[in-house]
């Protein structure tokens, strides 16, 4: 097992980074997604530490990989048959150097400590890139909303919030949605917080429009990701007009990615869920998208039904025995992975590249494995990593917080204009930072370094906390 003693000051920056990574693995065993997220950021920081020894002497890396606080709790609830059910709840308060903890809640059976730590870690850098004052956090539960009645989901959310409410607040920690947590869940969570605390405050984002929510927040992650892709294309004097686009997932992010792609003249041709993927050579137009929204948001059905409804479309079931995902073998100009982590492996990435993909913009968090990321960077395609490309969601959450503080609501046009401006500014930061640190075009380095610098400098200013 690697040593967990402090690396002596004066160690070569490269060895210091390796030591920190070994300590992360030793202290956080069996958390491969957390290791993957940390490794990617630390690799980018090799370029920074050579120029800025103060981050090493201030032990910023050891501090930034260590959550400020981990909260784990029991969530007991009754199902519709009167049986007792027990789930596990979590909130990771990762870093508050530049603002209150901010990040989503994920309800999915795969949720565990390592997955939430990877998400919370990424959130720190993403939130910094938005230019708004938000620290990083993430939470959730291994509760599976699939197949549960609205009443079961409500009882679960009330129990979850009964414990979580002790730890959050509008100036402390502001959760939002993520996989399995949408408008319905935020409503139940907000109602219970208000009842327990007797306070109507902006303690959650993604709220309903009549009770403190912001226009464009539901759309923001998907819209923002498409704006980011358009910014990347602009650097090669190109646009989304007429581009064939693969989109994975069929939830919040995927639906609004398809919507904005249609606005900008592109042709989205796929969607998926955990049961498989549909491919529609005619394109998913507005009418078909409205049908998908009804299928997924109201009926909570499976994407397979799309191929029954629209006869030209084909459905390919998910097959864990394959070494690749058939979705990523479809020829297209752009790919918008918008389902979940590690949904693109090395084989998928090389399939995309050999089919001539020009743009990959990540709507999901860490959808590409480390090898897949390397394949995209080596191929020098336009690759927008998640912490930059999907930051529009949390950025608009930041705008919701600002509106709540002022007790005002901006118009749809105002919020969309700000979102667009923020995505362009994130792209600029990533693009210019990649150049400054000697790796032009590498937006992975640009995002990791651009997000890191502001947080690291705030941590230095605030002393050893
Ligand atoms: P939703 O719950 O609305 O949709 C999730 C979609 O992904 C569903 O189609 C779901 O299929 C699919 N999916 C989830 N897990 C898996 C899996 N293990 N294998 C295959 N498919 C899977 O979530 P969102 O759209 O909000 O989130 C999608 C991604 O975007 C996540 O990575 C999330 O972290 C990220 N993100 C979300 C933001 C937001 O504002 N909502 C902001 C930034 C990033 P099924 O229904 O079968 O489970
Ligand atoms: O991953 C993410 O950025 C989100 N799920 C959105 C977080 C938020 O606070 O809006």
């Amino acid at each position: 097992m690697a040593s967990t003693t402090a690396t002596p000051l004066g160690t070569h920056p490269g060895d210091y980074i390796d030591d920190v990574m070994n300590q992360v693995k030793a202290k956080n065993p069996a958390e491969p997604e957390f290791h993957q997220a940390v490794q990617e950021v630390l690799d980018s920081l090799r370029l920074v530490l050579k120029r800025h020894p103060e981050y090493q002497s201030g032990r910023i890396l050891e501090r930034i990989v260590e959550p400020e606080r981990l909260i784990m709790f029991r969530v007991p609830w009754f199902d519709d048959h009167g049986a007792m059910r027990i789930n596990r709840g979590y909130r990771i308060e990762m870093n508050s150097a530049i603002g209150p903890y901010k990040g989503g809640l994920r309800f999915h059976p795969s949720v565990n400590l390592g997955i939430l730590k990877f998400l919370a870690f990424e959130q720190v850098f993403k939130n910094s890139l938005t230019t708004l004052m938000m620290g990083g956090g993430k939470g959730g539960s291994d509760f599976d909303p699939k197949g549960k009645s609205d009443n079961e989901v409500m009882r679960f959310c009330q129990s979850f919030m009964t414990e979580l409410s002790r730890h959050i607040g509008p100036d402390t920690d502001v959760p939002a949605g993520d996989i399995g947590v949408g408008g319905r869940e935020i409503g139940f969570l907000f109602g219970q917080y208000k009842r327990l605390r007797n306070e109507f405050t902006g303690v959650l984002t993604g709220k309903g429009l009549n009770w403190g929510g912001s226009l464009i927040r539901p759309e923001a992650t998907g819209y923002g990701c498409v704006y980011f892709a358009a910014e990347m294309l602009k650097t090669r004097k190109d646009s989304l007009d007429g581009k064939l686009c693969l989109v994975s997932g069929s939830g919040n992010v995927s639906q609004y990615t398809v919507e904005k792609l249609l606005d900008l003249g592109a042709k989205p041709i796929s969607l998926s869920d955990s049961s498989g993927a549909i491919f529609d050579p005619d394109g998913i137009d507005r009418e078909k998208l409205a049908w998908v929204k009804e299928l997924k948001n109201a009926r909570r059905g499976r994407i397979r039904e799309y191929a029954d409804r629209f006869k030209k479309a084909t459905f390919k079931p998910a097959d864990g025995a394959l070494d690749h995902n058939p979705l990523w073998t479809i020829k297209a100009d752009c790919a918008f992975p918008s389902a979940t982590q590690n949904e693109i492996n090395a084989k998928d990435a090389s399939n995309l590249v050999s089919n001539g993909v020009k743009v990959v913009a990540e709507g999901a968090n860490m959808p590409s494995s480390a090898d897949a990321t390397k394949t995209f960077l080596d191929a020098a395609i336009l690759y927008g990593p998640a912490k930059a490309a999907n930051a529009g969601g949390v950025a608009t959450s930041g705008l919701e917080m600002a509106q709540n503080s002022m007790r005002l609501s901006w118009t749809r046009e105002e919020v969309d204009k700000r979102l667009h401006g923020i995505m362009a500014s994130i792209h600029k930061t990533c693009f210019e930072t990649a150049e400054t640190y000697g790796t032009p075009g590498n937006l992975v380095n640009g995002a990791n370094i651009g997000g890191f610098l502001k947080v690291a400098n705030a941590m230095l200013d605030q002393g050893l906390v």
Side-chain angles (χ1 to χ4, degrees):
M1 191 194 244
S3 156
T4 56
T5 52
T7 310
L9 294 175
T11 303
H12 182 276
D15 296 336
Y16 168 61
I17 285 177
D18 292 341
D19 273 6
V20 173
M21 192 62 229
N22 287 334
Q23 288 177 30
V24 166
K25 288 182 178 161
K27 281 187 172 182
N28 306 276
E31 295 181 2
E33 293 87 0
F34 182 53
H35 302 169
Q36 182 184 340
V38 172
Q39 181 81 63
E40 186 203 279
V41 170
L42 292 188
D43 283 342
S44 295
L45 295 180
R46 286 177 202 278
L47 303 163
V48 177
L49 290 203
K50 284 190 209 141
R51 296 191 199 176
H52 292 283
E54 64 273 23
Y55 300 135
Q56 185 168 347
S57 56
R59 300 219 178 270
I60 294 297
L61 299 197
E62 286 98 324
R63 287 199 266 155
I64 215 163
V65 298
E66 196 63 34
E68 289 178 14
R69 192 174 297 107
L70 288 181
I71 301 152
M72 276 175 64
F73 50 97
R74 180 201 300 158
V75 190
W77 56 282
F78 279 110
D79 70 18
D80 285 347
H81 306 291
M84 294 179 200
R85 301 283 199 104
I86 314 296
N87 285 97
R88 185 175 282 180
Y90 304 84
R91 187 73 183 163
I92 319 293
E93 295 183 338
M94 197 77 194
N95 194 299
S96 62
I98 61 166
Y101 309 107
K102 180 82 197 90
L105 297 171
R106 178 177 290 191
F107 292 169
H108 193 272
S110 65
V111 161
N112 60 38
L113 192 58
I115 288 182
L116 293 181
K117 277 162 73 179
F118 115 63
L119 289 161
F121 182 73
E122 296 247 310
Q123 199 83 43
V124 172
F125 305 92
K126 182 196 305 193
N127 293 4
S128 166
L129 285 169
T130 66
T131 69
L132 304 175
M133 288 176 56
M134 296 183 289
K138 197 86 189 189
S141 174
D142 58 0
F143 173 75
D144 186 357
K146 275 204 200 81
K148 304 289 190 302
S149 69
D150 286 351
N151 279 334
E152 288 177 321
V153 171
M154 180 175 73
R155 285 194 292 275
F156 173 81
C157 287
Q158 290 178 341
S159 181
F160 182 87
M161 183 51 89
T162 299
E163 176 57 35
L164 187 69
S165 65
R166 303 171 205 273
H167 310 287
I168 62 175
D171 297 316
T172 307
D173 184 352
V174 183
D178 193 81
I179 292 176
V181 178
R184 173 182 64 168
E185 290 74 18
I186 294 292
F188 295 148
L189 292 163
F190 183 80
Q192 182 72 349
Y193 182 89
K194 186 166 63 62
R195 175 191 193 194
L196 290 166
R197 301 287 279 257
N198 198 24
E199 276 175 17
F200 192 111
T201 59
V203 68
L204 293 157
T205 59
K207 298 186 291 298
L209 290 178
N210 293 330
W211 40 279
S214 174
L215 286 160
I216 302 283
R217 176 62 189 89
E219 295 88 337
T221 309
Y223 280 18
C225 192
V226 176
Y227 291 148
F228 194 88
E231 290 298 316
M232 290 197 290
L233 278 160
K234 251 198 238 170
T235 64
R236 296 192 180 168
K237 304 203 175 346
D238 202 350
S239 80
L240 281 162
D241 193 31
K243 297 277 186 300
L244 287 184
C245 298
L246 297 174
V247 179
S248 67
S250 48
N252 172 271
V253 178
S254 317
Q255 293 169 18
Y256 289 105
T257 295
V258 168
E259 189 163 295
K260 188 50 70 178
L261 285 172
L262 292 172
D263 287 349
L264 299 189
K267 185 172 174 186
I269 53 173
S270 75
L271 284 169
S272 70
D273 63 19
S274 50
S275 63
I278 60 99
F279 165 51
D280 186 343
D282 286 346
I284 302 164
D285 61 18
R286 285 183 204 279
E287 206 180 314
K288 293 172 182 171
L289 175 61
W291 185 88
V292 169
K293 285 184 181 173
E294 204 271 327
L295 170 77
K296 283 290 165 183
N297 310 347
R299 285 199 282 132
R300 297 180 191 273
R302 313 306 292 153
I303 201 67
R304 171 192 290 274
E305 286 183 43
Y306 185 104
D308 301 330
R309 176 76 178 73
F310 304 107
K311 295 297 178 201
K312 287 265 202 69
T314 50
F315 174 75
K316 286 177 201 284
D319 182 353
L322 292 177
D323 65 350
H324 67 283
N325 181 342
L327 172 60
W328 307 123
T329 62
I330 300 166
K331 194 168 166 50
D333 304 304
C334 310
F336 292 84
S338 308
T340 195
Q341 63 276 359
N342 290 325
E343 56 173 305
I344 300 182
N345 65 21
K347 181 92 193 262
D348 298 322
S350 62
N351 285 338
L352 284 164
V353 168
S354 53
N355 271 331
V357 85
K358 296 181 180 64
V359 175
V360 175
E362 296 185 334
N365 284 305
M366 206 168 75
S368 307
S369 70
D371 289 342
T373 299
K374 187 172 178 313
T375 303
F376 294 140
L377 291 174
D378 288 349
I381 61 160
L382 294 166
Y383 173 57
K387 53 173 87 64
N390 75 32
V394 74
T396 307
S397 281
L399 300 178
E400 182 170 328
M401 290 164 73
Q403 293 169 82
N404 290 167
S405 299
M406 293 187 298
R407 292 187 171 7
L408 287 174
S409 305
W410 291 325
T411 61
R412 194 179 163 84
E413 292 68 33
E414 172 75 23
V415 181
D416 195 30
K417 198 171 111 206
R418 286 178 187 262
L419 168 64
H420 204 158
I422 289 172
M423 295 317 296
S425 129
I426 294 173
H427 178 265
K428 187 166 186 280
T429 300
C430 296
F431 188 85
E432 290 179 355
T433 307
E435 291 209 322
T436 306
Y437 284 87
T439 56
N442 182 332
L443 301 185
V444 173
N445 285 339
N448 289 337
I449 298 170
F452 170 81
L453 292 175
K454 182 167 145 193
V455 177
N457 291 336
M459 289 171 77
L460 287 177
D461 290 345
Q462 292 169 22
L464 185 58
V465 294

